[in-house]
Amino acid sequence: MSDIRKTLDDVAREVDEWLGVLLPEGEGPEAPVYEAMRYAALGPGKRLRPFLVVETGRLFDVDRKRLMRAGAAIECVHTYSLVHDDLPCMDDDDLRRGRPTVHKAYDEATAVLAGDALLTFAFELLAHPDTHPDARVRAALVLSLAKSSGAQGMVGGQMIDIVSEKAKPTETLIARLQQMKTGALISCACELGALLGQASPEALHAIVGYSRDLGLAFQIADDVLDVTGNVEEMGKAVGKDADMGKATFVSLLGLERAKSQAELLAQQASKYLDMFGARADNLRKIARYVVERRS
Ligand code: GRG
């Protein structure tokens, strides 16, 4: 196993421990929604977004507990997006992270509610003084996550994705929808680490540049994996984009050009990190990993 994969897995285990403690078990008649939240969030994901919070925050010596709380918050938003994306009214998938999707394991209404509750719980975590003692920092964290996950970000990207299924989108529109649908949350993960570290405007600018290219590289790699990956490694259905006639970077550029574009973006992303020297090595390595991964 590569050393960055091991570091990612170590952070994933730590985040899972935090999520296990932070997400309540729930009692009484509302218990099923808590159970479904835990089923979704504690499923075996890579925890890439919490990893980015942790590694960006480490550049500014942020306290580990604060990083874990912010990492858990962004993972809750990511998980909610997967739960809702898998619903019959969206992608209608039966398998996620190698297990039945939430609406299959429970039912549709519980899956909608568990997604809603994960989304709101993320903001509860960020707004809590344990995440940062300074209310201005907490407000900045909440603002960043709200903008990235709402209509200006992930939800807006999903809407463009749905409406563009009926038309043939241009490369510019695909890049915009992917930047919003997937890139915004990846950028937010890096921004949360920098905000917790009260980074200088110059450092924040570098982090934003890195995260934008990383997000796009991640999405192109995801499009490539939908063609070249297999269901065992991915833990979800593959080949769906082509089956649904979806325009992706692969359908637009072809497989080989899409792969080289992702590699180029990963290299470009790392260049933004020069000012941080060797401290940013894990962020450089994860950019490579994102385009070389098999799941
Ligand atoms: C329904 C509000 C709403 C939004 C849906 C992000 C999204 C928008 C849908 C997810 C569907 C999808 C397959 C998007 C492509 C990129 C992506 C987010 C892949 C999954 O992320 P990973 O690889 O997953 O980080 P793990 O399971 O490792 O966390």
Side-chain angles (χ1 to χ4, degrees):
M1 193 195 293
S2 69
D3 64 338
I4 193 62
R5 181 69 226 205
K6 188 181 172 313
T7 317
L8 181 61
D9 287 350
D10 289 345
V11 171
R13 260 190 301 278
E14 202 181 340
V15 172
D16 287 353
E17 275 168 30
W18 276 86
L19 279 169
V21 173
L22 291 168
L23 280 168
E25 303 259 3
E27 286 173 7
E30 68 272 39
V33 77
Y34 287 105
E35 212 185 285
M37 287 163 78
R38 290 177 64 88
Y39 174 84
L42 299 173
K46 291 185 289 297
R47 314 297 186 227
L48 173 67
R49 293 149 195 83
F51 179 88
L52 292 170
V53 176
V54 166
E55 285 302 326
T56 311
R58 271 197 337 110
L59 299 176
F60 310 100
D61 294 319
V62 176
D63 171 73
R64 195 81 179 175
K65 181 184 83 180
R66 295 177 188 169
L67 294 174
M68 284 296 145
R69 290 182 62 89
I74 201 159
E75 186 65 19
C76 284
V77 173
H78 169 58
T79 306
Y80 122 77
S81 80
L82 301 179
V83 173
H84 281 193
D85 189 62
D86 290 336
L87 286 168
C89 63
M90 297 263 178
D91 267 9
D92 194 10
D93 275 306
D94 297 349
L95 193 68
R96 170 70 65 182
R97 293 172 165 174
R99 305 182 312 164
T101 46
V102 178
H103 65 275
K104 286 283 166 191
Y106 295 84
D107 54 51
E108 271 183 58
T110 309
V112 170
L113 293 175
D116 292 342
L118 282 165
L119 173 64
T120 44
F121 185 61
F123 292 98
E124 186 181 329
L125 282 177
L126 291 186
H128 195 285
D130 281 355
T131 304
H132 200 283
D134 185 335
R136 282 167 305 185
V137 173
R138 298 200 299 274
L141 299 173
V142 166
L143 185 63
S144 172
L145 188 61
K147 283 172 108 170
S148 316
S149 47
Q152 299 174 58
M154 186 174 69
V155 167
Q158 178 79 346
M159 189 75 248
I160 300 176
D161 202 7
I162 291 169
V163 298
S164 54
E165 269 170 30
K166 295 186 183 74
K168 197 176 178 305
T170 60
E171 185 172 347
T172 316
L173 189 65
I174 293 181
R176 178 153 175 262
L177 99 78
Q178 303 296 17
Q179 174 52 37
M180 291 167 75
K181 184 175 130 175
T182 318
L185 211 57
I186 288 184
S187 290
C188 174
C190 299
E191 198 174 282
L192 295 185
L195 290 171
L196 281 168
Q198 296 176 280
S200 67
E202 190 197 6
L204 192 59
H205 178 78
I207 296 296
V208 168
Y210 164 82
S211 68
R212 291 229 167 108
D213 285 345
L214 180 74
L216 202 50
F218 175 91
Q219 184 55 53
I220 299 178
D222 207 71
D223 289 352
V224 168
L225 281 170
D226 193 61
V227 177
T228 63
N230 63 60
V231 67
E232 290 77 26
E233 283 176 308
M234 296 289 285
K236 63 177 182 181
V238 292
K240 282 201 78 170
D241 294 341
D243 288 352
M244 292 166 78
K246 263 196 184 179
T248 67
F249 284 107
V250 172
S251 71
L252 214 65
L253 305 174
L255 194 56
E256 289 316 310
R257 271 186 65 209
K259 279 188 195 167
S260 37
Q261 185 68 22
E263 275 161 27
L264 197 74
L265 280 160
Q267 285 166 19
Q268 211 170 280
S270 291
K271 291 214 178 83
Y272 280 102
L273 302 174
D274 288 351
M275 66 181 288
F276 303 109
R279 284 169 78 90
D281 276 352
N282 281 346
L283 290 175
R284 294 186 186 91
K285 286 181 192 166
I286 205 72
R288 281 237 55 76
Y289 170 77
V290 153
V291 295
E292 286 168 2
R293 70 201 160 99
R294 297 286 309 151
S295 67

